[in-house]
Amino acid sequence: MSQGYDNEILYHYTDFQALDGILRSAQLRVNNILNMNDAAEMRYFMSGLCEAVIKRLEEEGDTGRGEQVRALFEKELKKEFYYSAYAACFSLYRDDAAQWERYGNRGRGVCIAFRGDYLQKMAQGALSLQTVFYEDDMAAHKLTGVFYRLMKREKDLTKTSPDVEKAMNYAWSCSAAFKHPSFFSEREVRLVVSPFVKEHLEVKPCYHISVERIKKYYPLDLMDMCQKIGIGMEDLIAEIIIGPESTQAKYILQDYLRDNRLRGLAEKVSLSKCPLRRSPK
């Protein structure tokens, strides 16, 4: 699942309020993947994995076992909120119109460019940096073979098996990096936290209270993460791009950075050149 990001810049499209949290508070929030724009997040992979295993069993004429597998996965999918992963999302695309529209406050926000090699070094324990895959057939995925062999070996799938439970945990972890192929154009990379891996997670959850709802998130301490790999915030961030629809003055943002002891970032501010169609006034 993992790959090297030594030569990659990962672009995080967001709004100015989030920018303030990332830069001044040195905090990167990871949010529940199930609340993101793909309505089938996580369960898309699990359902596809289930179908791939069943198909392999049915090709051997083992339809009865296939029905047991379907029942097992249906039961497992009811636990999706327990297995919910949390992520901060990045794109490999710089100054991209679709990214501005979807994630950069419709072009009125900002894009923060992160050094991929440093994010890779920060991803330890329950935190991982994952390339998102866009596939509609899980037949070739290695977990299909793992589950096929487990399903053939286990006599009673209604009982709890340590091996099946371990495989399910790994499958849920993998599911955080799969999306429907219709999202392929995003070229997404995710910094993922899997809270159900409790023994490796030291970050406590927080809650954002708005007028309409309560949202759970995990705050990552960027300053601490930077210190652990021997860099500063100004090393981690390669560029800050003001959105094509933003009314933000470049010099004010530069003053903000200097006044918050981030003078090195002030020289890394640029204006988007994306010709995004202006909204009617």
Side-chain angles (χ1 to χ4, degrees):
M1 293 292 292
S2 62
Q3 71 170 56
Y5 297 93
D6 289 350
N7 300 313
E8 301 286 4
I9 299 296
L10 305 180
Y11 298 94
H12 182 63
Y13 292 79
T14 187
D15 56 39
F16 283 95
Q17 189 172 30
L19 173 80
D20 182 58
I22 291 170
L23 297 183
R24 187 168 59 86
S25 302
Q27 182 186 99
L28 181 64
R29 294 185 179 185
V30 289
N31 297 299
N32 195 322
I33 287 178
L34 295 179
N35 294 329
M36 294 183 180
N37 64 346
D38 182 352
E41 289 276 12
M42 298 187 74
R43 70 182 73 94
Y44 169 75
F45 175 79
M46 298 296 287
S47 297
L49 177 62
C50 174
E51 293 303 320
V53 175
I54 291 173
K55 182 179 179 181
R56 190 162 171 180
L57 289 167
E58 290 180 343
E59 286 174 348
E60 297 180 347
D62 198 348
T63 55
R65 177 59 50 145
E67 289 304 312
Q68 293 179 37
V69 170
R70 190 181 303 280
L72 175 67
F73 272 84
E74 286 178 353
K75 180 181 178 181
E76 190 69 18
L77 282 167
K78 293 178 181 178
K79 305 175 185 177
E80 65 177 351
F81 283 100
Y82 169 76
Y83 286 110
S84 294
Y86 289 72
C89 301
F90 307 85
S91 173
L92 292 171
Y93 287 131
R94 181 187 183 277
D95 203 12
D96 180 71
Q99 297 294 317
W100 283 122
E101 285 279 11
R102 288 181 180 176
Y103 309 111
N105 194 23
R106 297 185 177 181
R108 297 188 291 270
V110 64
C111 175
I112 310 169
F114 289 83
R115 288 272 303 272
D117 53 344
Y118 291 146
L119 284 179
Q120 181 84 74
K121 292 177 181 179
M122 291 174 172
Q124 301 174 7
L127 188 64
S128 61
L129 190 63
Q130 302 184 32
T131 297
V132 173
F133 291 86
Y134 308 88
E135 298 179 12
D136 55 7
D137 185 358
M138 305 303 172
H141 196 281
K142 64 180 181 180
L143 270 175
T144 297
V146 170
F147 271 95
Y148 166 77
R149 290 187 291 274
L150 279 174
M151 299 302 100
K152 294 288 284 187
R153 189 186 74 192
E154 296 291 329
K155 293 182 179 180
D156 188 354
L157 297 180
T158 63
K159 294 183 179 179
T160 302
S161 161
D163 290 338
V164 173
E165 185 176 3
K166 183 178 179 180
M168 280 294 185
N169 284 348
Y170 185 66
W172 277 112
S173 295
C174 290
S175 73
F178 272 77
K179 294 182 74 171
H180 190 274
S182 60
F183 290 91
F184 177 77
S185 62
E186 293 184 345
R187 293 194 68 201
E188 187 176 347
V189 176
R190 289 176 168 177
L191 191 62
V192 179
V193 167
S194 299
F196 65 89
V197 189
K198 301 292 186 183
E199 64 270 22
H200 298 300
L201 185 63
E202 299 176 357
V203 183
K204 293 184 178 180
C206 294
Y207 295 87
H208 174 74
I209 316 298
S210 69
V211 175
E212 296 181 348
R213 60 176 174 167
I214 298 174
K215 292 176 65 176
K216 182 179 180 180
Y217 68 93
Y218 285 83
L220 303 182
D221 187 336
L222 283 177
M223 191 64 70
D224 179 64
M225 292 164 68
C226 284
Q227 289 176 351
K228 284 181 178 178
I229 64 170
I231 65 168
M233 283 286 290
E234 293 166 296
D235 302 309
L236 176 63
I237 296 172
E239 185 181 13
I240 299 173
I241 308 169
I242 297 172
E245 282 270 75
S246 176
T247 59
Q248 175 63 57
K250 178 180 176 180
Y251 72 91
I252 293 294
L253 178 54
Q254 289 175 318
D255 280 348
Y256 160 89
L257 293 167
R258 295 186 189 100
D259 288 343
N260 281 286
R261 300 181 181 179
L262 295 168
R263 300 186 67 85
L265 292 183
E267 303 307 314
K268 297 180 180 181
V269 176
S270 63
L271 300 175
S272 168
K273 294 183 180 179
C274 175
L276 192 65
R277 184 180 294 277
R278 303 298 180 189
S279 302
K281 304 299 183 183

